[in-house]
């Protein structure tokens, strides 16, 4: 494979990972602060907090730590590609799972307040995905970014000679 394509894929996947991490921090960090201050009150009333803000922040930090760990020889390039691919796919699957299980209904026995947001979640998994791309375009955009990043990580695993040399 021409090294120029690999370099372009590396740069593109780095940008996509940054966009994904930035979105997850933007959405998750303020909410995790709010839930963090209310954890004891929620627990005393038997209400589990929405886990997404905490998971979003952890996910973003994991994504942002990858390049640092590779640069400082704490993580091989090949392993970074594998972990990046897994994280992107798990994020997409987690998103589908959240929406297919009633926005946290599996945690409390009922859908989260405000669940639905103008969408019905009818039509199975593909219907839910398609509906979110139309009704929640930012979510659709981020999920597209994650899927493209996953595809590029798979491409790099296959064609980056530097990853094979390790």
């Amino acid at each position: 494979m021409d090294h120029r394509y690999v370099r372009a894929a590396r740069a593109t996947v780095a940008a996509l990972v940054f966009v994904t991490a930035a979105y997850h921090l933007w959405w998750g960090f303020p909410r995790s602060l709010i839930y963090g201050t209310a954890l004891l009150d929620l627990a005393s009333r038997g209400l589990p907090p929405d886990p997404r803000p905490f998971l979003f922040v952890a996910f973003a930090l994991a994504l942002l730590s990858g390049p640092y760990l590779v640069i400082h020889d704490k993580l091989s390039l090949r392993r970074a590609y594998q972990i990046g691919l897994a994280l992107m796919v798990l994020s997409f699957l987690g998103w589908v799972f959240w929406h297919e299980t009633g926005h946290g209904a599996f945690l409390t026995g009922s859908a989260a307040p405000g669940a639905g947001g103008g969408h019905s979640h009818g039509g199975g998994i593909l219907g839910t995905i398609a509906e979110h791309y139309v009704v929640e375009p930012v979510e659709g955009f981020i999920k597209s970014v994650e899927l493209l990043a996953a595809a590029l990580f798979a491409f790099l695993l296959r064609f980056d000679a530097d990853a094979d040399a390790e």
Side-chain angles (χ1 to χ4, degrees), residues 5 21 24 72 91-92 113 119 125-126 135 142 146:
Y5 293 122
H24 283 82
H72 293 289
S91 178
F92 186 83
H119 47 276
I125 292 173
L126 292 179
V135 176
I142 291 299
E146 290 173 2

Side-chain angles (χ1 to χ4, degrees), residues 62-156:
L63 290 176
L64 294 173
S65 68
Y68 174 85
L69 295 172
V70 169
I71 289 169
H72 293 289
D73 292 323
K74 305 289 184 200
L75 187 65
S76 72
L77 197 54
R78 179 167 201 70
R79 181 66 65 197
Y81 292 161
Q82 291 168 336
I83 292 170
L85 174 60
L87 286 173
M88 292 298 148
V89 170
L90 285 173
S91 178
F92 186 83
L93 293 176
W95 176 75
V96 170
F97 175 77
W98 180 260
H99 290 286
E100 284 296 304
T101 58
H103 295 161
F106 63 96
L107 294 172
T108 63
S110 63
H119 47 276
S120 64
H121 293 153
I125 292 173
L126 292 179
T128 297
I129 293 169
E131 185 174 10
H132 277 78
Y133 271 76
V134 173
V135 176
E136 301 285 344
V138 172
E139 282 185 29
F141 173 76
I142 291 299
K143 293 303 141 187
S144 296
V145 165
E146 290 173 2
L147 291 175
L148 180 56
L152 287 173
F153 277 126
F155 171 86
L156 288 165

